[in-house]
Amino acid sequence: MRSAHTQHERPRAYRVNDFCRLFGVGRTGLYKLLKEEKLPSVRIGGRRLIPADAAEALLNGGKQ
């Protein structure tokens, strides 16, 4: 049985709305980053997800 996530666990990926809220980026700006391939994403079940590691790398100037 899987345990529920706690507030202190970092997610593995962010949904578009969550990413925008947490990182202070508008939807238009986010989709621009995705189109310019500055931020990778995956589509799973009709949802676009941004990997948390990629988001952190972008904040660190591309360095992991």
Side-chain angles (χ1 to χ4, degrees), residues 9-48:
E9 289 182 23
R10 189 178 123 205
R12 294 183 63 195
Y14 299 103
R15 291 181 288 184
V16 169
N17 289 340
D18 295 333
F19 180 92
C20 291
R21 181 177 44 82
L22 291 169
F23 292 93
V25 176
R27 288 177 65 91
T28 302
L30 172 59
Y31 281 108
K32 182 178 178 187
L33 290 171
L34 296 172
K35 183 179 179 182
E36 294 173 352
E37 298 182 358
K38 293 182 179 177
L39 185 64
S41 69
V42 294
R43 289 192 62 88
I44 299 175
R47 281 190 180 156
R48 182 172 302 277

